[in-house]
Amino acid sequence: MVASVSGGFKPAPVAALEQKFLQQLILGTQANTPVWDDPEPELEAIAFKLEIEREAAMARIAKKQQTKQLAQQINSQLHMSLKTELANQLASLDIIQRHSPVSDKHLLLLEMLHSPQLDLNRLRPAVASQAWLVRDLTNMVNSPVFGARRPQNKDLQVSDLKLVLGYIGMDNLRLLIPFYICRHWLPLGHTGLLWINRKLWRYAQIQGVATRALAALHEQDGALLYALSLMRQLGASVVLGMGASIFEQLRGNWLKEASKARDKELYDAVAVSEFPALEIFQQVQEHAMRLNWQLPQALGFADSALITWLQELEDKQGFEQMPLLAQLVAKASCYAQSLLLDESHQLSFRDKQLLNSYYAMSEQELIRLQGQNYRKLSLF
């Protein structure tokens, strides 16, 4: 039996388990984990090609001990340069804003969705200002899956935004817009983050399913809780993206210098440098939770209810001190972490009991959560 630890400051064993999960998320072995609406399938072929090229360079390096030592030295220097530069950039909110994919227009849209005065006429101009969001919503309405919802017009391709929003409906837009915005924040386009992105997005979606289930059980606003669950990945997405960009810039510059010097051994040593997942993980661990609300505040949303809830979720005073909505999101996050750790055989029965105890999971909540389908996303 595990003694109850619910309430109060987070016990060290609970914090250690959550750190273990974050470590598995970022540092865990690469796995082509299937996710709903995979945001970057085209990078898989590129990542595979780069891995083959890296293995070829490693084979050349293995023939010479001196070259092998050079590769290790270059890898260490590159990672240290990344760590220093990333820490410097994360020390300034102004710099973070410049490199962040999060914009005030995104946050305004998310805030509008929970306004009691909202209607489609007010929402449409805000959506229209984001061309990528218009494209995603339009593609979704014209998809075969959505066509089943409008059988009389399933062969008609819809392009007018007013019709697109009308077909989806306000209730569904409160779910779909956060889905697409938070997916847009993922640091896509970086081969080094291909597997991390997939795991992070799957974690976010499992949280979303779990929060909606808990919201229904406790008669709370499921769309609001769903948005908060996805927005909890804001800080991690920003730090990961900044880290990957710095690494690619440093590595690219060093490759150019080696090429100019016609130094094949140096070029190979730089080419086989590993993605600095550990150094980036350390910065995610330190900054991500605070950035969830600090970055939106810096963008002018200090008074937003959504951002206030995100600040509550930093869990400074312990789970027991959180308001009910924040508690439900935290419970969903706990369940998602437990589920994913259990899948990778890294969670004991005692660990699961400890997490459930700290987050005060009731038997009814666990039954409801265990009854959800976490392999298939269903927003409608």
Side-chain angles (χ1 to χ4, degrees):
M1 294 292 292
V2 176
S4 174
V5 292
S6 59
F9 291 102
K10 184 177 294 183
V14 174
L17 284 170
E18 294 180 345
Q19 180 181 353
K20 180 180 180 179
F21 170 75
L22 184 62
Q23 189 169 350
Q24 169 64 18
L25 199 66
I26 297 176
L27 302 180
T29 56
Q30 293 183 355
N32 190 2
T33 306
V35 295
W36 301 300
D37 195 17
D38 192 342
E40 46 182 356
E42 69 281 354
L43 281 185
E44 191 165 350
I46 298 174
F48 181 69
K49 179 182 177 182
L50 291 176
E51 185 60 25
I52 292 176
E53 293 173 352
R54 184 175 185 274
E55 288 176 0
M58 288 289 287
R60 292 193 296 269
I61 288 172
K63 296 178 180 179
K64 296 182 179 180
Q65 181 63 28
Q66 184 178 358
T67 307
K68 187 176 181 180
Q69 292 174 349
L70 175 62
Q72 293 171 345
Q73 182 181 4
I74 291 295
N75 189 74
S76 177
Q77 291 176 352
L78 186 56
H79 286 200
M80 185 59 66
S81 298
L82 173 282
K83 184 176 181 178
T84 301
E85 180 60 23
L86 181 56
N88 289 338
Q89 290 193 12
L90 289 172
S92 168
L93 271 175
D94 289 338
I95 294 176
I96 294 171
Q97 286 184 60
R98 290 202 298 271
H99 293 285
S100 166
V102 183
S103 78
D104 55 350
K105 292 181 179 179
H106 301 159
L107 297 171
L108 178 61
L109 253 173
L110 291 169
E111 189 177 58
M112 287 177 65
L113 291 171
H114 304 287
S115 168
Q117 290 82 35
L118 181 63
D119 58 39
L120 290 177
N121 290 329
R122 289 187 59 206
L123 185 65
R124 189 167 66 252
V127 173
S129 69
Q130 305 297 307
W132 60 269
L133 181 57
V134 173
R135 182 191 66 243
D136 286 345
L137 291 172
T138 302
N139 289 342
M140 192 275 297
V141 167
N142 290 318
S143 68
V145 174
F146 194 86
R149 295 174 53 82
R150 48 187 184 93
Q152 294 180 346
N153 301 307
K154 63 181 180 180
D155 296 326
L156 176 66
Q157 292 292 298
V158 181
S159 58
D160 181 76
L161 180 59
K162 184 176 181 180
L163 289 176
V164 167
L165 298 181
Y167 273 125
I168 298 173
M170 188 59 69
D171 289 342
N172 292 329
L173 285 168
R174 294 184 72 208
L175 298 171
L176 275 173
I177 290 177
F179 175 94
Y180 285 124
I181 287 179
C182 295
R183 191 185 69 172
H184 185 73
W185 291 344
L186 289 174
L188 306 180
H190 304 286
T191 54
L193 293 179
L194 175 64
W195 315 113
I196 296 174
N197 277 338
R198 288 181 173 180
K199 290 188 289 183
L200 182 63
W201 189 233
R202 182 168 181 240
Y203 169 50
Q205 289 301 289
I206 291 174
Q207 282 187 84
V209 173
T211 48
R212 291 182 67 195
L214 291 175
L217 179 64
H218 291 273
E219 299 181 344
Q220 299 295 319
D221 187 343
L224 173 62
L225 291 174
Y226 179 77
L228 287 171
S229 290
L230 267 59
M231 291 176 72
R232 289 193 82 189
Q233 315 331 308
L234 183 157
S237 295
V238 170
V239 177
L240 286 168
M242 290 175 65
S245 294
I246 293 170
F247 172 69
E248 289 167 4
Q249 183 177 6
L250 287 171
R251 186 170 175 272
N253 290 340
W254 289 20
L255 285 172
K256 287 178 183 177
E257 292 299 320
S259 181
K260 286 181 182 178
R262 297 186 177 181
D263 189 330
K264 180 62 175 175
E265 290 186 350
L266 178 60
Y267 187 93
D268 279 349
V270 177
V272 300
S273 295
E274 297 176 350
F275 184 77
L278 177 60
E279 287 74 14
I280 296 176
F281 160 74
Q282 292 168 347
Q283 298 301 323
V284 170
Q285 188 178 21
E286 181 177 351
H287 295 281
M289 287 298 290
R290 287 201 304 274
L291 280 179
N292 284 343
W293 54 269
Q294 284 183 341
L295 181 56
Q297 284 187 349
L299 290 169
F301 288 82
D303 297 327
S304 169
L306 279 172
I307 308 312
T308 301
W309 287 118
L310 287 175
Q311 191 168 1
E312 292 282 357
L313 283 163
E314 195 176 347
D315 194 8
K316 290 182 178 179
Q317 301 300 320
F319 175 79
E320 191 178 57
Q321 305 303 317
M322 290 181 176
L324 175 61
L325 285 182
Q327 285 186 350
L328 295 180
V329 176
K331 284 173 183 271
S333 176
C334 165
Y335 188 80
Q337 291 183 31
S338 297
L339 188 68
L340 293 171
L341 282 173
D342 202 26
E343 280 186 359
S344 57
H345 308 291
Q346 296 191 53
L347 189 70
S348 68
F349 178 72
R350 184 179 178 85
D351 290 339
K352 188 181 296 186
Q353 280 189 309
L354 181 64
L355 289 171
N356 290 343
S357 178
Y358 175 71
Y359 286 102
M361 291 284 200
S362 69
E363 182 178 356
Q364 191 176 14
E365 287 171 338
L366 288 172
I367 291 172
R368 182 65 64 96
L369 290 170
Q370 290 163 1
Q372 304 304 307
N373 184 352
Y374 297 100
R375 290 288 179 180
K376 182 179 180 182
L377 176 64
S378 178
L379 288 178
F380 304 119

